[in-house]
Amino acid sequence: MSKEQAIHELYLLCKDINFDETIDMIKNAESIEERAFVRVVTDFFLQQKQKRVVAEKRF
């Protein structure tokens, strides 16, 4: 698998993150860097959802 394919697969996995599970993922991270990664990815997808909600005027 190429790096491009791996990144795409990672994107698809992250896109479906259950936000209720992120606290456990952060707690169980093996390093500070991994914790930061989970936070950044989670924040990104939350921001995308917020943009859709605002655009649809469902706030």
Side-chain angles (χ1 to χ4, degrees):
M1 177 183 305
S2 71
K3 286 185 181 181
E4 185 177 335
Q5 291 169 320
I7 292 293
H8 179 70
E9 290 296 319
L10 181 60
Y11 165 77
L12 294 175
L13 284 170
C14 292
K15 185 176 160 184
D16 293 328
I17 287 176
N18 179 340
F19 295 104
D20 294 332
E21 297 173 352
T22 57
I23 299 298
D24 288 335
M25 291 194 306
I26 291 169
K27 281 188 211 175
N28 297 328
E30 295 182 12
S31 67
I32 292 171
E33 189 174 52
E34 186 178 346
R35 281 187 207 106
F37 175 80
V38 173
R39 285 188 193 110
V40 168
V41 169
T42 302
D43 287 348
F44 172 79
F45 285 106
L46 280 173
Q47 288 171 5
Q48 298 308 304
K49 286 184 179 192
Q50 286 175 329
K51 286 179 185 179
R52 285 192 297 272
V53 167
V54 169
E56 295 169 2
K57 300 184 188 228
R58 295 189 303 155
F59 54 96

